[in-house]
């Protein structure tokens, strides 16, 4: 259930950024981005733990979620920043 809640929160953050990009100031955009990336990373950590339990290759010890979160978060942030740069470049090219 935690996985579903985290994916929902991340989706709401990203959808809010897309729908209200003209209304939000930069601080609000950064805050929503950080919350969205953090919850998505935590959801992926939970998913890795659950897959390990389902396939029997992991005991399901919850202390490893933090370790997974710490290496997933930078990857999600880099992907998010690359996507933002691509979108900004396309917007400048169309104007």
């Amino acid at each position: 259930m935690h996985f579903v809640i985290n994916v929902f929160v991340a989706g709401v953050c990203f959808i809010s950024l897309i729908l209200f990009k003209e209304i939000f100031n930069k601080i609000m955009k950064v805050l929503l981005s950080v919350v969205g990336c953090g919850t998505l990373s935590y959801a992926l950590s939970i998913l890795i733990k659950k897959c390990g339990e389902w396939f029997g290759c992991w005991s399901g010890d919850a202390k490893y979620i933090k370790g997974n979160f710490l290496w997933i978060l930078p990857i999600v942030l880099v992907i998010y920043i690359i996507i933002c740069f691509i979108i900004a470049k396309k917007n400048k090219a169309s104007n």
Side-chain angles (χ1 to χ4, degrees):
M1 190 64 173
H2 292 283
F3 172 74
V4 174
I5 292 169
N6 284 317
V7 170
F8 177 75
V9 170
V12 167
C13 289
F14 293 136
I15 296 296
S16 297
L17 284 172
I18 293 169
L19 292 177
F20 304 113
K21 68 180 178 180
E22 290 87 17
I23 298 171
F24 290 148
N25 58 8
K26 292 215 182 252
I27 295 172
M28 189 65 177
K29 289 179 186 178
V30 168
L31 182 65
L32 279 173
S33 300
V34 169
V35 169
C37 289
T39 55
L40 182 62
S41 299
Y42 193 69
L44 291 175
S45 299
I46 292 170
L47 182 65
I48 289 171
K49 177 186 170 284
K50 288 295 181 187
C51 287
E53 289 174 0
W54 292 333
F55 295 118
C57 59
W58 189 352
S59 65
D61 194 3
K63 69 180 180 180
Y64 294 114
I65 290 178
K66 183 179 177 185
N68 286 340
F69 173 74
L70 292 176
W71 67 264
I72 291 174
L73 181 62
I75 295 169
V76 171
L77 285 173
V78 168
I79 292 171
Y80 181 76
I81 290 170
I82 290 170
I83 290 171
C84 287
F85 280 131
I86 291 171
I87 291 171
K89 191 173 183 178
K90 284 186 179 182
N91 286 341
K92 283 185 180 181
S94 66
N95 290 333

